[in-house]
């Protein structure tokens, strides 16, 4: 369609273009997966374009296998942070914790300088070793401190005890707590934050479609008061991620294409809706600044 515009119309159109492209405030996504089951649906170039569309100025990418994150990083080095995932094939989400080669591979990955973190490491009740026997996890946490990079851990238990113990034992490691414990209510999340300064809570997949048992908002979309109070008490300790995995009826599907990146708008529309209910400075910290600062990109990337 060709629109006929006079000069004033063209000027207005030109003035409006930058605002319509980036009408939404900039955000940082601390939880992106790029898996081999996602490549056919969303190419690396498509993924970068989707981040641009959503005004996601920084994205932390977990590749499965790890090298896939580097494909995104090579296309947009300022925008993408790659963290090292030890998962190479289906089932590694529970095997990694018993496999000593995980530590060797993680050390080599960090030493290469191509990865700025480790994760996501799943520690799920019924599959994970007890903390006393979690030798691989402990060595990875020590590596995080040695290389001064964060370690992203996904815990899934009905109580916060595992994280309370882990974070206390590794005070020099920055722990990114994926989904802030996934199942836990805000009071349990607060116990961990109060106990350990080194933990930052992620809010990826705490949306109406995934971890629904302790939702952030009412069905009408209002941020629940317990969560709001927690965000206001610890504005420097939370971050948002989309966790673009879809469909979500089974953990770590390998037999079906994953269209999660095509749902990026859905996930971020939800997160932006509750962020907008916080004071602007807190929303900017949680939505963008905390993640950008943790990965040392505050100089290059602007959150306003
Ligand atoms: Zn997770």
């Amino acid at each position: 369609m060709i629109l006929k515009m006079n000069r004033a119309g063209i000027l207005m159109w030109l003035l409006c273009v930058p605002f319509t492209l980036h009408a939404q405030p900039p955000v940082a996504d601390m939880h992106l997966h790029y898996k081999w089951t996602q490549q056919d649906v969303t190419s690396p170039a498509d993924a970068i374009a989707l981040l641009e569309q959503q005004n996601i100025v920084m994205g932390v990418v977990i590749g499965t296998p790890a090298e896939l994150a580097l494909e995104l990083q090579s296309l947009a080095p300022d925008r993408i942070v790659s963290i090292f995932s030890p998962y190479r094939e289906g089932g590694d989400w529970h095997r990694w914790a018993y496999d000593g080669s995980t530590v060797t591979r993680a050390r080599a990955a960090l030493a290469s300088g191509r990865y700025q973190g480790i994760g996501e490491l799943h520690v799920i009740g019924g599959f994970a070793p007890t903390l006393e026997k979690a030798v691989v996890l402990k060595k990875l946490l020590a590596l995080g401190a040695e290389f001064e990079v964060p370690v992203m851990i996904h815990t899934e238990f009905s109580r916060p005890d595992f994280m309370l113990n882990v974070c206390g034992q590794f005070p020099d490691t920055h722990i990114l707590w994926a989904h802030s414990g996934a199942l836990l209510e805000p009071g349990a999340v607060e116990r961990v934050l109060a106990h350990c300064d080194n933990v930052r809570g992620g809010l990826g997949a705490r949306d109406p479609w995934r971890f629904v048992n302790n939702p952030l908002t009412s069905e009408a979309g209002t941020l629940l008061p317990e969560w709001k109070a927690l965000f206001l008490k610890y504005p420097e300790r939370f971050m948002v991620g989309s966790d673009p995995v879809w469909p979500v009826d089974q953990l770590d599907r390998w037999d079906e294409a994953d269209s999660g990146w095509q749902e990026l708008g859905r996930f971020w529309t939800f997160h932006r809706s509750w962020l907008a209910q916080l004071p602007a400075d807190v929303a900017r910290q949680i939505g963008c600044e905390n993640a950008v600062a943790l990965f040392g990109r505050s100089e290059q990337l602007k959150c306003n």
Side-chain angles (χ1 to χ4, degrees):
M1 186 171 65
I2 298 170
L3 287 175
K4 281 192 176 172
M5 281 190 278
N6 60 22
R7 280 176 62 182
I10 291 170
L11 185 62
M12 277 305 293
W13 181 77
L14 287 173
L15 283 172
C16 287
V17 167
F19 299 107
T20 48
L21 278 179
H22 281 169
Q24 314 194 81
V27 288
D29 193 319
M30 59 76 75
H31 195 136
L32 290 159
H33 291 276
Y34 194 62
K35 307 189 292 181
W36 72 269
T37 48
Q38 295 178 314
Q39 298 173 93
D40 289 343
V41 185
T42 309
S43 70
D46 291 343
I48 301 300
L50 287 162
L51 294 176
E52 288 173 359
Q53 273 172 28
Q54 294 295 326
N55 205 12
I56 296 168
V57 294
M58 190 191 84
V60 177
V61 180
I62 303 148
T64 307
E67 296 76 25
L68 283 185
L70 302 177
E71 292 191 23
L72 270 60
Q73 192 175 30
S74 70
L75 292 178
D78 291 341
R79 197 182 291 263
I80 300 295
V81 173
S82 306
I83 65 173
F84 176 75
S85 165
Y87 303 178
R88 295 163 295 188
E89 55 186 26
D92 273 353
W93 65 269
H94 59 86
R95 280 197 289 265
W96 70 271
Y98 304 92
D99 178 357
S101 80
T102 305
V103 181
T104 315
R105 292 188 295 118
R107 173 177 285 284
L110 295 180
S112 77
R114 297 185 298 172
Y115 298 92
Q116 289 81 51
I118 301 173
E120 178 185 17
L121 305 171
H122 289 83
V123 181
I124 295 182
F127 296 96
T130 60
L131 187 58
E132 291 68 36
K133 293 184 177 169
V135 178
V136 172
L137 176 65
K138 289 178 183 174
K139 286 184 177 174
L140 293 178
L141 284 160
L143 269 186
E146 182 184 334
F147 284 87
E148 298 180 1
V149 295
V151 179
M152 188 192 292
I153 305 176
H154 168 140
T155 60
E156 208 169 310
F157 300 98
S158 56
R159 294 161 57 88
D161 304 41
F162 189 94
M163 181 52 78
L164 281 167
N165 287 322
V166 165
C167 65
Q169 285 185 31
F170 292 87
D172 298 327
T173 305
H174 288 302
I175 296 175
L176 286 180
W177 195 18
H179 327 292
S180 296
L183 311 175
L184 300 176
E185 44 87 24
V189 176
E190 178 165 18
R191 280 184 60 202
V192 172
L193 295 185
H195 186 64
C196 287
D197 292 341
N198 55 326
V199 174
R200 288 166 176 80
L203 297 161
R206 286 253 189 189
D207 58 36
W209 308 281
R210 277 83 65 87
F211 296 114
V212 294
N213 49 332
N214 271 302
L216 298 181
T217 67
S218 70
E219 281 189 21
T222 306
L223 184 58
L224 295 176
E226 298 82 5
W227 284 109
K228 188 170 188 176
L230 194 55
F231 297 154
L232 293 175
K233 187 171 179 183
Y234 293 101
E236 74 290 358
R237 305 282 295 280
F238 286 101
M239 301 175 184
V240 182
S242 57
D243 196 358
V245 172
W246 196 266
V248 289
D249 52 338
Q250 182 187 320
L251 179 69
D252 197 25
R253 264 191 181 283
W254 287 74
D255 55 347
E256 185 181 325
D258 183 317
S259 60
W261 282 79
Q262 305 302 319
E263 306 295 333
L264 211 59
R266 171 207 294 262
F267 301 140
W268 270 105
T269 297
F270 169 72
H271 289 301
R272 287 182 189 278
S273 75
W274 62 260
L275 283 168
Q277 298 170 49
L278 293 167
D281 55 341
V282 176
R284 197 163 55 241
Q285 281 178 287
I286 294 176
C288 190
E289 289 173 350
N290 293 342
V292 167
L294 180 65
F295 288 96
R297 301 206 175 186
S298 301
E299 292 286 306
Q300 306 101 294
L301 301 175
K302 292 289 161 253
C303 289
N304 55 19

